[in-house]
């Protein structure tokens, strides 16, 4: 009887154990989690690969457009070079024509552009200016000589600016010309007209320096008489009267019979008139 009583609880316990399902396997749970992570990683890799392909396709498209633009750019650059070459030829031809006309007419660019008519206004007030002396002054748009077409074009641009009254533009143009073409046959004229541009712009110290440069670098040039004369004018404008008288006297001594000498004598008479300094 006692054995029957003891056997009954054991039977019930065994039945309970048999009816309870087993718990989840921890190892399997970790494997499932790893599988999920790998799936997500693979999905991200596929997406990244797709993005890379799209980026590479975009890069190929952009490269193609860049090559197309470069090709078009080369065509435009060639057209621009051809245009500049044609313009250079036209400017050279126009410069040569102006030089020939000037040589046939007066031999110079004659009147100093823009000078006023007061008592010390320069060559225009003195009788059409320094630089118009036959056989003494050089041509305003000087005969090209051995100058290249580019030199003639650059020089003509600066000289045209001077004639038009654009003195700052002319000053920059002549300075650039002298710096770029110091050995050009037109350099002495450019140096002289630089002084004229300073003079009519009332920058007398710079004008004096420019005229002295002509006398120092090209003492025997056709512009030397004009440069010496205008140096005397400049000294007069600066109220350096003894120096002005000495310079103007030197013009008469070195270049007798020239237009520069006549203008120097006229200026000297003014300086010696009663009431003048």
């Amino acid at each position: 009887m006692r054995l029957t009583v003891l056997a009954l609880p054991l039977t019930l316990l065994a039945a309970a154990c048999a009816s309870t399902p087993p718990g989840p396997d921890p190892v399997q749970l970790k494997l499932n989690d790893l599988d999920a992570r790998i799936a997500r990683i693979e999905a991200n890799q596929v997406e990244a690969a797709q993005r890379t392909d799209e980026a590479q396709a975009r890069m190929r498209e952009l490269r193609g457009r860049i090559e197309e633009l470069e090709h078009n750019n080369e065509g435009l650059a060639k057209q621009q070079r051809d245009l500049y070459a044609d313009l250079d030829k036209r400017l050279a031809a126009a410069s040569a024509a102006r030089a020939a006309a000037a040589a046939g007419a007066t031999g110079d660019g004659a009147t100093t552009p823009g000078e006023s008519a007061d008592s010390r206004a320069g060559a225009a007030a003195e009788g059409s200016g320094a630089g118009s002396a036959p056989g003494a002054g050089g041509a305003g748009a000087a005969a090209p000589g051995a100058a290249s077409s580019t030199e003639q074009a650059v020089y003509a641009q600066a000289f045209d600016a001077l004639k038009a009254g654009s003195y700052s533009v002319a000053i920059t143009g002549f300075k650039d010309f002298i710096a770029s073409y110091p050995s050009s046959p037109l350099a002495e004229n450019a140096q002289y007209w630089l002084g004229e541009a300073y003079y009519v712009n009332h920058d007398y110290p710079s004008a004096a320096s420019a005229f002295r440069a002509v006398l120092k670098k090209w003492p025997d040039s056709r512009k030397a008489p004009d440069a010496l004369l205008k140096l005397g004018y400049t000294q007069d404008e600066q109220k350096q009267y003894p120096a002005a008288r000495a310079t103007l006297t030197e013009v008469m001594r070195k270049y007798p019979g020239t237009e520069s000498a006549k203008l120097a004598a006229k200026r000297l008479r003014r300086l010696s008139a009663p009431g003048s300094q």
Side-chain angles (χ1 to χ4, degrees):
M1 186 70 177
R2 291 182 64 183
L3 290 174
T4 302
V5 173
L6 290 173
L8 181 61
L10 291 174
T11 302
L12 293 173
L13 180 61
C17 290
S19 63
T20 302
D25 187 351
V27 174
Q28 187 61 46
L29 290 175
K30 288 184 178 180
L31 290 175
N32 293 339
D33 183 58
L34 287 175
D35 287 341
R37 290 184 181 183
I38 290 172
R40 288 195 298 270
I41 291 172
E42 289 176 345
N44 290 337
Q45 287 178 339
V46 171
E47 184 180 357
Q50 291 175 343
R51 290 180 179 178
T52 300
D53 290 342
E54 291 175 358
Q56 288 177 346
R58 181 62 175 165
M59 287 293 294
R60 286 192 296 270
E61 180 184 354
L62 290 174
R63 190 176 295 113
R65 293 183 63 184
I66 290 172
E67 290 175 355
E68 181 181 358
L69 289 172
E70 287 177 345
H71 177 73
N72 293 339
N73 224 13
E74 289 176 0
L76 289 174
K78 183 179 183 303
Q79 291 179 5
Q80 189 177 43
R81 287 193 298 270
D82 293 342
L83 179 62
Y84 283 157
D86 181 64
L87 179 61
D88 182 65
K89 291 178 181 178
R90 291 171 182 263
L91 287 173
S95 178
R98 283 197 302 269
T106 63
D108 201 349
T111 304
T112 301
E115 293 191 347
S116 63
D118 66 20
S119 61
R120 295 191 189 118
E126 291 289 344
S128 82
S132 60
S148 69
S149 60
T150 301
E151 292 170 6
Q152 293 176 47
V154 174
Y155 177 89
Q157 287 178 345
F159 189 75
D160 288 345
L162 180 64
K163 290 191 296 182
S166 301
Y167 303 129
S168 297
V169 175
I171 288 168
T172 300
F174 285 127
K175 288 174 68 176
D176 290 346
F177 181 91
I178 294 164
S180 301
Y181 311 106
S183 301
S184 170
L186 298 172
E188 64 187 61
N189 278 42
Q191 184 68 54
Y192 172 81
W193 290 111
L194 174 63
E196 288 283 9
Y198 279 129
Y199 184 89
V200 297
N201 211 30
H202 305 292
D203 185 352
Y204 299 121
S206 296
S209 177
F211 292 133
R212 286 192 178 97
V214 175
L215 298 170
K216 180 179 179 180
K217 297 178 182 178
W218 302 279
D220 300 321
S221 74
R222 294 184 301 161
K223 299 307 293 181
D226 299 337
L228 189 60
L229 175 68
K230 294 311 290 280
L231 176 60
Y233 285 4
T234 302
Q235 291 167 333
D236 185 12
E237 295 289 351
Q238 293 178 287
K239 304 186 186 307
Q240 300 172 359
Y241 301 121
R245 290 189 181 94
T247 300
L248 295 170
T249 301
E250 182 70 4
V251 174
M252 297 171 63
R253 185 189 68 80
K254 290 185 69 173
Y255 309 106
T258 64
E259 185 67 19
S260 294
K262 294 176 184 178
L263 294 172
K266 188 173 181 179
R267 194 61 168 252
L268 274 172
R269 287 194 296 271
R270 280 182 158 180
L271 286 171
S272 301
S276 62
Q277 296 292 331

